């Protein structure tokens, strides 16, 4: 996809706009992949402390003996708690082209996952195994769509709330137009 987006600019009118959208989605995928890698690392080490230490180092801590892990968690929570429209816009614009999430975001996500029960379930052997899983691309895509749709519905981020409200409004409007068209053609 990366190569196709670079080649397509010469052939598609307004191609740069489409390419920028695709590149932003790919960067989001990269960031989500980093969170997955953090989870895999935790599963391999089965100890949260080294993961947190690495993330503190990535955030700029030279001497871990002089850094307070609880303060780092508070910083991560403070970043997460910023919910104004301007804060939300800054978060999006600061990350849109990044391939890795900020260490404080990674810390927050890893801690939330480790304490959610999903981590312990995997350690206990309760996870979907390859031989029990049917490969269905359509279902995978639907699952991804449903995940992001549900995330948008439950977020308290002002920008994503707005996007969700616009999407729901468009969905209702399209449904109503479809019903009116059905009624019009049904009578003919």
């Amino acid at each position: 996809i990366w190569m196709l987006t670079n080649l397509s600019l010469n052939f598609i009118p307004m191609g740069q706009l489409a390419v920028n959208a695709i590149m932003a989605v790919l960067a989001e995928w990269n960031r989500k992949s980093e969170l997955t890698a953090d989870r895999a690392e935790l599963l391999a080490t089965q100890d949260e402390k080294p993961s947190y230490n690495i993330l503190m180092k990535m955030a700029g801590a030279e001497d871990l003996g002089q850094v307070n892990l609880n303060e780092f968690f508070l910083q991560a929570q403070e970043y997460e708690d910023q919910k104004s429209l301007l804060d939300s816009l800054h978060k999006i614009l600061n990350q849109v082209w990044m391939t890795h999430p900020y260490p404080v975001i990674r810390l927050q996500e890893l801690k939330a996952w480790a304490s959610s029960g999903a981590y312990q379930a995997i350690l206990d052997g309760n996870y979907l195994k390859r031989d029990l899983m049917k490969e269905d691309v359509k279902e995978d895509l639907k699952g991804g769509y449903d995940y992001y749709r549900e995330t948008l519905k439950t977020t308290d981020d002002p920008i994503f709330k707005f996007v969700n409200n616009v999407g729901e409004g468009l969905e209702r409007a399209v449904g109503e137009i479809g019903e009116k068209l059905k009624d019009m053609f049904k009578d003919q």
Side-chain angles (χ1 to χ4, degrees), residues 14 20 65 151:
M14 304 268 303
N20 285 344
T151 300

Side-chain angles (χ1 to χ4, degrees), residues 140-167:
D140 280 349
L141 289 174
K142 184 180 180 325
Y145 171 79
D146 290 343
Y147 169 79
Y148 280 103
R149 185 175 184 180
E150 195 58 36
T151 300
L152 277 177
K153 283 184 179 180
T154 59
T155 187
D156 54 354
D157 183 281
I159 290 179
F160 291 124
K161 275 184 179 178
F162 173 76
V163 168
N164 185 48
N165 290 340
V166 168

Side-chain angles (χ1 to χ4, degrees), residues 96-110:
V96 72
W97 305 118
M98 292 176 58
T99 57
H100 291 66
Y102 289 121
V104 293
I105 294 171
R106 293 173 72 171
L107 177 84
Q108 193 78 348
E109 290 290 328
L110 187 61

Side-chain angles (χ1 to χ4, degrees), residues 5-72:
T5 57
N6 288 325
L7 294 174
S8 67
L9 286 178
N10 298 327
F11 305 110
I12 300 173
M14 304 268 303
Q16 186 64 44
L17 186 61
V19 167
N20 285 344
I22 291 170
M23 299 300 264
V25 169
L26 289 173
E28 173 68 10
W29 186 15
N30 280 343
R31 289 190 299 276
K32 296 295 186 194
S33 296
E34 289 301 318
L35 299 177
T36 300
D38 291 341
R39 292 173 180 177
E41 182 264 334
L42 180 56
L43 285 168
T45 62
Q46 297 184 13
D47 184 7
E48 296 172 40
K49 185 84 168 158
S51 302
Y52 299 155
N53 287 342
I54 289 169
L55 291 170
M56 286 193 299
K57 280 276 202 189
M58 290 171 66
E62 287 186 28
D63 181 6
L64 291 177
Q66 296 183 8
V67 178
N68 184 327
L69 181 60
N70 291 330
E71 289 295 321
F72 196 56

Side-chain angles (χ1 to χ4, degrees), residues 122-136:
I122 291 171
L123 292 179
D124 293 341
N126 299 324
Y127 55 89
L128 191 59
K129 300 185 176 55
R130 184 174 293 177
D131 56 336
L132 298 175
M133 190 172 82
K134 293 181 183 176
E135 301 221 9
D136 186 0

